Structure formats: structure tokens, C-alpha cells
Amino acid sequence: MASRAEAAPRRAVVTGASSGIGAATVRLFRSHGWDVLAVARRAAKLEALAAETGADVLVADITDAADVSALAARVEELGGADVLVNNAGGAFGSASVEESDVDDWRAMFEVNVIGTKRVVAALLPHLRRRAATAGSADIVTVTSTAGHVAYENGGGYNAAKFAEHALVGALRLELNGEPIRVVEIAPGLVKTDEFALTRFRGDEDKAAAVYDNVPEPLVAEDVAEAIVHSVELPPHVNLDLVTIRPVAQSAQHKLARGTLTPRV
């Protein structure tokens, strides 16, 4: 087995890489000297990211089996991967369990759960091969605090993210005995350009209200720092679960708005 220093340059595969947390993660990996394969559906945004960072890119939809097969083939062409970052996901709709659209639930399960499963299954052989030569590999999945605590009008997203959290836990047990770390990053309130806007069907006022008067919500770069840090630790150290929230958010239902002030 080659030492890490003797192995091929480290490569990360990042899904959902065209914007938000995914794009920030690609940028940070590249700034740390990693090779990166950035994966997303939107070609124009990927091309811009490639021009900016020098990352390799692949247009693919993780809910499409043929696209995921193409992803695995591309990883093989590039020579393998050390790290998979399952970041692709999303929330659609904000209605109650009673009134929400079943198609929204189906779409959330497809991208957050089934898509993650597809990519993990497709890339595990490549990660195992890299672990055999370099000594370790990593699977990092970006879930959400919505996958740990339910809240009103979030039932579909809660259900999908709870399921993704369970997938990660089962995978960690199944890979016990192999030098492959399984990391879950569970962000709370993160202000990005698209997440809330997508959830509220492009309603800019509703999307803005989520972050209104919240002192310093997380931004994509904060979550990217946690992702990259988790895989740059010594390979015997596993961050099973990282819950990352802004200081203003003490819990899923407890969010301060306005200036944070010491009680003196």
C-alpha cells in the first residue's frame, strides 16, 4: 500500500456543484490543491466554475441512472477518487402534511435519498480502489438539521432528510472494517442564493423572509469549511456527524432576529 504522500493527487467528487454549498466546496478544495470533479445539471454554471477554478466538470442529474453510470465512467477515466461529497439535494414546497403535493415529496426523495444512494453505490468501487492504494477514502453527505428535528410545514423535506440521515448511518455500519470514513454534515440555517427561492417557487419575498433580520446566518463557505476540514483530518479521525448552525439559531425552532446582545 502506498503512503498518502506517494499516492496519486487527491481527487474529490462534488455533486450539486453548480451553486451554493457545492460550488463553495469546489472552490475550497481547489484552493487546497485538490483535483475536483464538479457534478451538476446546469452546464453554463459548471462551465463558469471550471473557468474560475480549473475543476473538471460533468453535467449529470443524480436522479437519472444513466447519468450516474456516466459519472462513474468519468471518475474511472480521471483515475479514481479519494472523496465523494454528496451535496445535491433540495426542498420543494412549504405546506402541511395534509395539504402538500405528493409530487413534491416524490421529487425530494428522488434527489435527497435515491440520488444519494445511486451515487454512493456507483462510486464505492472507485473509492475502495483508492483506499487500497492510498490508505483511506471518504464519503461526506450534506444532510440537514431538518433530518434530525421535524417542524411544521416541512414534513416532506423532514422525511427525505431523516431518510438520508438513516442512509448515512447504515452505510457507516456496513463499511465498518474498511478504511473509508463516512461523514455527515448537517447544516441549519444557511443563506444561499437559491435554496429558499427554490422552496418557495421563486417567491422572492418569502425567500427573503427566512433570513430577515437574522444576525449573520451561515453562508455556503461556512459549510464548505466543515466539509473540507473533515476529510483533511488524519485518516483515523472520523467526524461522524457535524451539526453546524449560526449562533443565532440555537435549535430548529429557536432563532434570534435582531442584534445579539450580552445580558450584562
Side-chain angles (χ1 to χ4, degrees), residues 26 47 75 158 165 193 196 240 263:
V26 171
E47 289 167 5
V75 169
N158 288 145
H165 167 64
D193 292 337
D240 281 16
R263 294 176 184 171

Side-chain angles (χ1 to χ4, degrees), residues 132-159:
T133 58
S136 65
D138 299 87
I139 299 172
V140 182
T141 302
V142 180
T143 62
S144 170
T145 54
H148 299 261
V149 179
Y151 54 87
E152 295 165 294
N153 300 319
Y157 188 57
N158 288 145

Side-chain angles (χ1 to χ4, degrees), residues 163-221:
E164 191 176 32
H165 167 64
L167 180 160
V168 172
L171 180 66
R172 187 179 297 112
L173 295 172
E174 291 162 0
L175 296 182
N176 181 253
E178 300 188 53
I180 300 176
R181 295 185 291 197
V182 177
V183 178
E184 178 180 355
I185 306 290
L189 186 69
V190 185
K191 186 175 183 180
T192 64
D193 292 337
E194 298 183 1
F195 181 85
L197 198 61
T198 298
R199 185 170 206 171
F200 294 112
R201 318 289 190 195
D203 187 321
E204 295 183 0
D205 290 338
K206 284 186 178 180
V210 173
Y211 313 105
D212 185 44
N213 207 26
V214 176
E216 295 189 273
L218 296 180
V219 294
E221 289 74 15

Side-chain angles (χ1 to χ4, degrees), residues 37-205:
L37 175 59
V39 183
R41 295 173 300 163
R42 294 177 290 183
K45 284 185 173 290
L46 282 180
E47 289 167 5
L49 187 63
E52 175 193 346
T53 66
D56 293 300
V57 298
L58 178 71
V59 177
D61 182 344
I62 69 163
T63 68
D64 184 285
D67 280 10
V68 174
S69 294
L71 167 58
R74 181 64 177 140
V75 169
E76 185 169 8
E77 289 174 4
L78 290 170
D82 299 87
V83 173
L84 166 61
V85 179
N86 293 304
N87 172 69
F92 313 119
S94 58
S96 68
V97 171
E98 178 184 12
E99 296 177 351
S100 54
D101 189 332
V102 168
D103 287 339
D104 284 342
W105 285 58
R106 186 174 290 112
M108 285 186 278
F109 269 81
E110 282 290 339
V111 67
N112 293 291
V113 186
I114 306 302
T116 297
K117 179 266 184 287
R118 284 188 193 278
V119 175
V120 168
L123 295 195
L124 250 177
H126 301 286
L127 294 167
R128 283 188 168 115
R129 282 195 286 273
R130 185 55 62 89
T133 58
S136 65
D138 299 87
I139 299 172
V140 182
T141 302
V142 180
T143 62
S144 170
T145 54
H148 299 261
V149 179
Y151 54 87
E152 295 165 294
N153 300 319
Y157 188 57
N158 288 145
K161 285 300 186 182
F162 266 82
E164 191 176 32
H165 167 64
L167 180 160
V168 172
L171 180 66
R172 187 179 297 112
L173 295 172
E174 291 162 0
L175 296 182
N176 181 253
E178 300 188 53
I180 300 176
R181 295 185 291 197
V182 177
V183 178
E184 178 180 355
I185 306 290
L189 186 69
V190 185
K191 186 175 183 180
T192 64
D193 292 337
E194 298 183 1
F195 181 85
L197 198 61
T198 298
R199 185 170 206 171
F200 294 112
R201 318 289 190 195
D203 187 321
E204 295 183 0
D205 290 338

